[in-house]
Amino acid sequence: MTDALPDPGLACPVSPVVDIVFSRWTTPILWSLHTFGRHRFVELERRITGITPKVLTQRLRQLERDGLVVRTYHPEVPPRVEYEISDLGRSLGPLFAHLAEWADGNLEHVEQARRHYDDAGRPGQ
């Protein structure tokens, strides 16, 4: 009999959600589309400073695949593509609202804890 490590997804049932929603660029993309509405690619790129076109393309494709973003192609000259948050993506709004509330009430405590830890040095050293 082997002692296999448990599947992390089974150990923590929210792990798949965290993987989908909280990757580095997913949150700002969803936040922008939720807050400011439909965007063209270039508009999103301008709004989310620091993201490269390649990464934005990859994240938008993944979000479309996950059903959180809707891509609309307009066959005109020149072609126009717009992205908007889907109903499924919009349903994450309360989660983001709770996280924003937590951040408002707790990030200063996190910073204090970090300063305390850094000032004390690493335990055991």
Side-chain angles (χ1 to χ4, degrees):
M1 180 174 168
T2 62
D3 292 328
L5 294 174
D7 178 352
L10 297 175
C12 180
V14 298
S15 290
V17 176
V18 170
D19 289 344
I20 293 168
V21 177
F22 296 109
S23 71
R24 171 146 166 82
W25 294 108
T26 297
T27 306
I29 292 168
L30 290 176
W31 187 273
S32 295
L33 293 175
H34 183 338
T35 303
F36 302 105
R38 181 180 302 146
H39 277 62
R40 294 178 72 173
F41 183 90
V42 173
E43 295 168 331
L44 267 176
E45 187 180 15
R46 286 184 193 133
R47 185 171 297 282
I48 304 169
T49 52
I51 194 167
T52 65
K54 178 183 176 184
V55 171
L56 180 56
T57 298
Q58 290 170 341
R59 294 311 314 147
L60 285 168
R61 284 182 183 158
Q62 186 62 51
L63 289 168
E64 183 181 9
R65 182 174 180 257
D66 291 339
L68 300 176
V69 166
V70 175
R71 178 183 182 269
T72 304
Y73 175 79
H74 301 277
E76 50 194 43
V77 178
R80 182 169 48 100
V81 176
E82 295 177 316
Y83 297 90
E84 61 187 312
I85 195 165
S86 69
D87 289 340
L88 181 60
R90 200 171 288 106
S91 73
L92 292 166
L95 173 64
F96 286 127
H98 285 296
L99 287 171
E101 183 180 319
W102 185 91
D104 285 343
N106 293 292
L107 280 182
E108 180 55 36
H109 299 292
V110 171
E111 288 300 320
Q112 288 173 359
R114 288 176 178 169
R115 285 191 299 271
H116 177 74
Y117 181 90
D118 292 344
D119 291 346
R122 287 191 73 191
Q125 286 186 349

